[in-house]
Amino acid sequence: MSRLAWRSNILFNRFLLFFLSMLLLATVLSGCGTGKSVVVYTAVDQVYSEQLFTQFTQETGIRVLPVFDVEAAKTTGLINRIIAEKENPQADVFWSNEFIQTILLQEKGVLAPYVSASAKDIPQAFKEEKGYWTGFGGRARVLIINRDKLSRDKYPTSLLNLLDSGVSPDQIGIALPMFGTTATHAAALYAQWGPEAALSWHGTLKEKGVRVLDGNSVVRDLVASGELIMGLTDTDDAYGAVNNGAPVDVVYLDQEEGGMGTLINPNTAALIAGAPHPETARLFIDWLLKPSTEAALLKVGFIDLPCRDVGVQSLNLGDTVVKGMSVNLAAIYANLEVSRTDMTELFMK
Amino acid sequence: MTGGKKRNQILRFHLPSGILVLYTLLAGLPLLLLSVQAFTAVAGGETEWRTLVFPQGRRLALLLQTLGFAFSVAIPGTLIGFAGAATLRFTRSRRIRHLSAFLIPSAAIPPHIHAMAWSVLVFWINGLLKRSGLPPLQDQGFIISVWVQMMALLPFAFGIMLLTLSGISNDLLEASRVTAPDRRTILRILFPIALPGLSTSFSFLFLVSLLDYSVPSLFQLNLYTLGIFSEYSIRYDASHAFLMSVPLLFLSLPAAWLLQRSLRRLPLIPSGSGREARWPLRLPFWMHGLSCLSVLLLLLQLLVPLAVLAVQSLPALSSMDWLTDSLPDMGISLLIGVGTAFLTLPFAHAAALSIDSRRHNRHAWWWLVMLPLALPAPLIGIALIHTWNAGAFSWTSLYNTLFMPILACTLRFLPFAVFLLLSFLKRVDRNLIGAALILQKNSLHTLFRIFLPMLSGAYLGAGLLVAVLAIGELGATLLLTPPGAGTLTLKIYNYLHYGSSEAVSGLCLLLYLIALGIGLFLQKTATSNNRRPA
């Protein structure tokens, strides 16, 4: 046998064998399924939402085909995708862990109205008046503090005295305020304090050298590891560190008498206009907005603040009452563009 | 013309051209549509386009910072790659030479994981320094961003330089060593011949650093690409983002031009004369130091993520739920990897043949293949959605299938496969092909009995390389995976956000070991390819 023919036999066989076995393995591992389904695009953490999808499938027999977002893409990957797919929608339901992006989708004409019967006991403040989206169970904006690094008597109580605790500003972290819930928080402060005061407060943070990080989870991780002493994040991130045994405390700011309260960010569910599976989409939204589903999210600790009485206490909060900011969701959204532009000007240098 | 000649014409020219026309449709059309959308917006009264295309003030400062960052990564990265690859190439130690098997697996580790590993290491070191009363290392900002980015890209620099140096004939070097000391051989012979390789490595590292903000943003270094993302998040307007990308294109297109020009000039010779050196090169002190430092850095690049991942994943071994939960994602990742390899290879084959030919259109093919390298991944994803979901190709119903992430990965990683095939193609002994052409029954006979067997190692390498890169891809995959089909990389990033660092480390370690297995398989195959049959 010639050298070339020998190479041909050996290498091509190996080449084909390797790729075909990979293909077979991949097909077996990935699995397949048929039957009724609903396509859900969700920004909710996979760890939490997957449990609910499994439960929904067990109860209804409808298979959930999820698409998840990741913080590394600034949790905007799905929004980009839904807008780009507008002419030929592929998603049935958008389930978000906040409300700003959902209102943005409504403005882009991507959503369809649907008033779910399960939402009748949800307060009107959490619902879009024409039914384009419905809010439920919220997460709060909190300060996470490494208790090994700071004594309790020095814990800040308000955003306004965040820098007065004696902690060096470079030991305090926030996420980039142009993205995610930190952007929502900035817009909420614009609505609550007015643009000048809110911009000035952010300017002070920047000027004093507060660390501006890639995301809320990075803030949490650095505080949990002791690289930072404290930082602003969301309750699901903060309690994630608590439940992992990190030496951290979670502080709700501005709770004192006359205080403005903290930002409460509800989840939102919305039907996509022209959804390929509208019937199963409505069934899924009905199921998601049921009090029992909100209770399940409370039990796993993804949300802390139900929007109605669901008969279950929060895993993280117990019976503690948290005061939310009085500013309404529409006002926060109205301030988003100007606050994001300001934050980009301020922090993208 | 006889039937045989016609068939030859079809196989030698028309088939590769047909494949490349198909590629042009797949890759060019989405990008063309995006450009048309942007120009339509300008024509329709987009007033901001001048400030977007010609940045001033803050945006200009950001662009300059990005440029500085890209240079700071590319220059030392290339030099270290050169010195390290020279050591791997000319050393007589098998152990050191075996380090090259780790290049592909370490290239597959997502940059975020490098960032995580180095961040943990710096934190530990700073703890020690603090206890010793010494000033801490910088754990944020420009320097650490440059360091981590360079470490994440080092396998590519080493790989490119190793490929370049392995193409330099030992006979040439030994002839020079007879007449002059080794130092002069290196400076006057080796270095000039390796210049195209240096330029290839530099332009590649420069391009990637220019377009990827993921590592710098973790260390609080703002780059222009993050600025595009930030402004895009204000209005979600693809044409606005495209116009804002234009200044970056002004920088990335010349780099892509340099890359293609350098690639064409790589000193690649027939493999037969690449035999082992008779005696090792004697380097001057400073060069020896640099080469030792480079190998040390390569080892660090390999070991730091591995060690940190291993330590952090230990607690995860008590419960293997994270592993069983990830099996479907692993399956999807493998399908995307294998699918990308299968889709990429015909395009890469046709592109490499066309580029290697003496035809006038070879420059056009270079540009076509290299263009996606100059574009951010999410922009490629959005362009593909516009084309395949409701645009020119919606009738195919391929949107919402795994074909989409496979196509995106093919567009993104085709240049790597073409580069590898081209380098091997240039080493093919033309006399063998000439002899085969004279005696062949038809072109297929030569293609399957002579040409492909000689290049099978290169096809295998190119296929595996793009498969590994596709498994680690995030930016475009996130936008294009069909519902219900997550990938292992998406899972890793999800766990990263959840704070499950043990599961993240476990999955990354798994990814690393899979890639390592592929790397070792590749090396074993390459070795057996060089062994003659009894």
PDB file of all heavy atoms in Angstrom, chain B residues 25-41:
ATOM      1  N   LEU B  25     -23.349  34.787  -0.433  1.00  0.00           N
ATOM      2  CA  LEU B  25     -24.763  35.020  -0.133  1.00  0.00           C
ATOM      3  C   LEU B  25     -25.018  34.936   1.371  1.00  0.00           C
ATOM      4  O   LEU B  25     -25.699  35.775   1.945  1.00  0.00           O
ATOM      5  CB  LEU B  25     -25.621  33.966  -0.837  1.00  0.00           C
ATOM      6  CG  LEU B  25     -26.017  34.269  -2.276  1.00  0.00           C
ATOM      7  CD1 LEU B  25     -26.746  33.084  -2.875  1.00  0.00           C
ATOM      8  CD2 LEU B  25     -26.927  35.496  -2.306  1.00  0.00           C
ATOM      9  N   LEU B  26     -24.439  33.902   1.982  1.00  0.00           N
ATOM     10  CA  LEU B  26     -24.681  33.680   3.407  1.00  0.00           C
ATOM     11  C   LEU B  26     -24.061  34.767   4.270  1.00  0.00           C
ATOM     12  O   LEU B  26     -24.669  35.269   5.208  1.00  0.00           O
ATOM     13  CB  LEU B  26     -24.118  32.317   3.847  1.00  0.00           C
ATOM     14  CG  LEU B  26     -24.733  31.086   3.207  1.00  0.00           C
ATOM     15  CD1 LEU B  26     -24.040  29.835   3.707  1.00  0.00           C
ATOM     16  CD2 LEU B  26     -26.212  31.016   3.522  1.00  0.00           C
ATOM     17  N   ALA B  27     -22.832  35.142   3.943  1.00  0.00           N
ATOM     18  CA  ALA B  27     -22.095  36.093   4.798  1.00  0.00           C
ATOM     19  C   ALA B  27     -22.299  37.516   4.339  1.00  0.00           C
ATOM     20  O   ALA B  27     -22.493  38.413   5.158  1.00  0.00           O
ATOM     21  CB  ALA B  27     -20.605  35.766   4.768  1.00  0.00           C
ATOM     22  N   GLY B  28     -22.264  37.729   3.040  1.00  0.00           N
ATOM     23  CA  GLY B  28     -22.287  39.096   2.531  1.00  0.00           C
ATOM     24  C   GLY B  28     -23.647  39.746   2.619  1.00  0.00           C
ATOM     25  O   GLY B  28     -23.758  40.916   2.986  1.00  0.00           O
ATOM     26  N   LEU B  29     -24.693  38.949   2.340  1.00  0.00           N
ATOM     27  CA  LEU B  29     -26.023  39.549   2.284  1.00  0.00           C
ATOM     28  C   LEU B  29     -26.464  40.148   3.626  1.00  0.00           C
ATOM     29  O   LEU B  29     -26.936  41.293   3.660  1.00  0.00           O
ATOM     30  CB  LEU B  29     -27.035  38.507   1.787  1.00  0.00           C
ATOM     31  CG  LEU B  29     -28.360  39.078   1.304  1.00  0.00           C
ATOM     32  CD1 LEU B  29     -28.162  40.015   0.134  1.00  0.00           C
ATOM     33  CD2 LEU B  29     -29.319  37.962   0.919  1.00  0.00           C
ATOM     34  N   PRO B  30     -26.310  39.414   4.742  1.00  0.00           N
ATOM     35  CA  PRO B  30     -26.703  40.016   6.013  1.00  0.00           C
ATOM     36  C   PRO B  30     -25.983  41.338   6.276  1.00  0.00           C
ATOM     37  O   PRO B  30     -26.593  42.306   6.733  1.00  0.00           O
ATOM     38  CB  PRO B  30     -26.291  38.970   7.054  1.00  0.00           C
ATOM     39  CG  PRO B  30     -26.247  37.692   6.323  1.00  0.00           C
ATOM     40  CD  PRO B  30     -25.844  38.023   4.936  1.00  0.00           C
ATOM     41  N   LEU B  31     -24.695  41.365   5.987  1.00  0.00           N
ATOM     42  CA  LEU B  31     -23.923  42.579   6.261  1.00  0.00           C
ATOM     43  C   LEU B  31     -24.329  43.700   5.312  1.00  0.00           C
ATOM     44  O   LEU B  31     -24.426  44.873   5.697  1.00  0.00           O
ATOM     45  CB  LEU B  31     -22.424  42.297   6.150  1.00  0.00           C
ATOM     46  CG  LEU B  31     -21.934  41.186   7.082  1.00  0.00           C
ATOM     47  CD1 LEU B  31     -20.468  40.907   6.858  1.00  0.00           C
ATOM     48  CD2 LEU B  31     -22.175  41.570   8.535  1.00  0.00           C
ATOM     49  N   LEU B  32     -24.616  43.314   4.067  1.00  0.00           N
ATOM     50  CA  LEU B  32     -25.054  44.299   3.080  1.00  0.00           C
ATOM     51  C   LEU B  32     -26.387  44.911   3.511  1.00  0.00           C
ATOM     52  O   LEU B  32     -26.583  46.137   3.444  1.00  0.00           O
ATOM     53  CB  LEU B  32     -25.194  43.609   1.717  1.00  0.00           C
ATOM     54  CG  LEU B  32     -25.496  44.526   0.541  1.00  0.00           C
ATOM     55  CD1 LEU B  32     -24.278  45.395   0.237  1.00  0.00           C
ATOM     56  CD2 LEU B  32     -25.846  43.709  -0.700  1.00  0.00           C
ATOM     57  N   LEU B  33     -27.301  44.050   3.992  1.00  0.00           N
ATOM     58  CA  LEU B  33     -28.615  44.551   4.423  1.00  0.00           C
ATOM     59  C   LEU B  33     -28.476  45.541   5.568  1.00  0.00           C
ATOM     60  O   LEU B  33     -29.163  46.561   5.624  1.00  0.00           O
ATOM     61  CB  LEU B  33     -29.503  43.382   4.852  1.00  0.00           C
ATOM     62  CG  LEU B  33     -30.092  42.537   3.720  1.00  0.00           C
ATOM     63  CD1 LEU B  33     -30.903  41.383   4.270  1.00  0.00           C
ATOM     64  CD2 LEU B  33     -30.997  43.400   2.833  1.00  0.00           C
ATOM     65  N   LEU B  34     -27.567  45.217   6.485  1.00  0.00           N
ATOM     66  CA  LEU B  34     -27.338  46.105   7.633  1.00  0.00           C
ATOM     67  C   LEU B  34     -26.797  47.451   7.162  1.00  0.00           C
ATOM     68  O   LEU B  34     -27.218  48.512   7.644  1.00  0.00           O
ATOM     69  CB  LEU B  34     -26.344  45.431   8.589  1.00  0.00           C
ATOM     70  CG  LEU B  34     -26.410  45.840  10.048  1.00  0.00           C
ATOM     71  CD1 LEU B  34     -27.764  45.528  10.648  1.00  0.00           C
ATOM     72  CD2 LEU B  34     -25.324  45.139  10.846  1.00  0.00           C
ATOM     73  N   SER B  35     -25.873  47.417   6.197  1.00  0.00           N
ATOM     74  CA  SER B  35     -25.314  48.662   5.658  1.00  0.00           C
ATOM     75  C   SER B  35     -26.415  49.469   4.966  1.00  0.00           C
ATOM     76  O   SER B  35     -26.519  50.680   5.164  1.00  0.00           O
ATOM     77  CB  SER B  35     -24.216  48.379   4.644  1.00  0.00           C
ATOM     78  OG  SER B  35     -23.409  47.359   5.076  1.00  0.00           O
ATOM     79  N   VAL B  36     -27.254  48.776   4.188  1.00  0.00           N
ATOM     80  CA  VAL B  36     -28.336  49.468   3.473  1.00  0.00           C
ATOM     81  C   VAL B  36     -29.278  50.126   4.480  1.00  0.00           C
ATOM     82  O   VAL B  36     -29.692  51.283   4.317  1.00  0.00           O
ATOM     83  CB  VAL B  36     -29.106  48.471   2.560  1.00  0.00           C
ATOM     84  CG1 VAL B  36     -30.394  49.083   2.030  1.00  0.00           C
ATOM     85  CG2 VAL B  36     -28.217  48.040   1.410  1.00  0.00           C
ATOM     86  N   GLN B  37     -29.579  49.389   5.556  1.00  0.00           N
ATOM     87  CA  GLN B  37     -30.457  49.917   6.610  1.00  0.00           C
ATOM     88  C   GLN B  37     -29.872  51.208   7.187  1.00  0.00           C
ATOM     89  O   GLN B  37     -30.577  52.189   7.388  1.00  0.00           O
ATOM     90  CB  GLN B  37     -30.590  48.859   7.693  1.00  0.00           C
ATOM     91  CG  GLN B  37     -31.851  48.982   8.508  1.00  0.00           C
ATOM     92  CD  GLN B  37     -31.913  47.904   9.597  1.00  0.00           C
ATOM     93  OE1 GLN B  37     -30.937  47.185   9.846  1.00  0.00           O
ATOM     94  NE2 GLN B  37     -33.038  47.798  10.238  1.00  0.00           N
ATOM     95  N   ALA B  38     -28.554  51.200   7.427  1.00  0.00           N
ATOM     96  CA  ALA B  38     -27.886  52.386   7.995  1.00  0.00           C
ATOM     97  C   ALA B  38     -27.926  53.542   7.010  1.00  0.00           C
ATOM     98  O   ALA B  38     -28.246  54.685   7.397  1.00  0.00           O
ATOM     99  CB  ALA B  38     -26.448  52.041   8.353  1.00  0.00           C
ATOM    100  N   PHE B  39     -27.631  53.265   5.745  1.00  0.00           N
ATOM    101  CA  PHE B  39     -27.622  54.354   4.760  1.00  0.00           C
ATOM    102  C   PHE B  39     -29.039  54.891   4.506  1.00  0.00           C
ATOM    103  O   PHE B  39     -29.224  56.081   4.286  1.00  0.00           O
ATOM    104  CB  PHE B  39     -26.967  53.889   3.456  1.00  0.00           C
ATOM    105  CG  PHE B  39     -25.476  53.750   3.604  1.00  0.00           C
ATOM    106  CD1 PHE B  39     -24.850  52.537   3.428  1.00  0.00           C
ATOM    107  CD2 PHE B  39     -24.694  54.854   3.962  1.00  0.00           C
ATOM    108  CE1 PHE B  39     -23.474  52.404   3.608  1.00  0.00           C
ATOM    109  CE2 PHE B  39     -23.316  54.723   4.136  1.00  0.00           C
ATOM    110  CZ  PHE B  39     -22.713  53.496   3.956  1.00  0.00           C
ATOM    111  N   THR B  40     -30.024  53.992   4.600  1.00  0.00           N
ATOM    112  CA  THR B  40     -31.414  54.442   4.455  1.00  0.00           C
ATOM    113  C   THR B  40     -31.766  55.389   5.596  1.00  0.00           C
ATOM    114  O   THR B  40     -32.439  56.405   5.400  1.00  0.00           O
ATOM    115  CB  THR B  40     -32.373  53.222   4.467  1.00  0.00           C
ATOM    116  OG1 THR B  40     -31.868  52.253   3.568  1.00  0.00           O
ATOM    117  CG2 THR B  40     -33.777  53.613   4.061  1.00  0.00           C
ATOM    118  N   ALA B  41     -31.291  55.039   6.809  1.00  0.00           N
ATOM    119  CA  ALA B  41     -31.561  55.899   7.963  1.00  0.00           C
ATOM    120  C   ALA B  41     -30.936  57.282   7.761  1.00  0.00           C
ATOM    121  O   ALA B  41     -31.542  58.310   8.075  1.00  0.00           O
ATOM    122  CB  ALA B  41     -31.026  55.253   9.236  1.00  0.00           C
TER     123      ALA B  41
END
